[in-house]
Amino acid sequence: MIFICEKQKIQEGISITSKAITGKTTMPILEGIYIDAKRKD
């Protein structure tokens, strides 16, 4: 999948999300960030 967005918007989202992620986790699934992309018509 390819998506296009403004760099500032994605940086803001990652910054907010990274505050909620703990440094170490026992579950590998919790180490990433889930991005849900929808078509904008």
Side-chain angles (χ1 to χ4, degrees), residues 1-25:
M1 170 187 270
I2 297 173
F3 69 96
I4 299 171
C5 68
E6 294 178 26
K7 182 178 179 180
Q8 182 180 357
K9 296 287 186 184
I10 195 80
Q11 284 179 329
E12 289 173 6
I14 291 172
S15 175
I16 292 167
T17 304
S18 65
K19 293 175 186 175
I21 299 172
T22 59
K24 295 185 179 180
T25 180

Side-chain angles (χ1 to χ4, degrees), residues 24-40:
K24 295 185 179 180
T25 180
T26 57
M27 297 177 63
I29 191 81
L30 299 177
E31 292 179 358
I33 298 172
Y34 176 78
I35 297 176
D36 184 17
K38 298 184 179 178
R39 181 181 301 251
K40 183 177 179 180

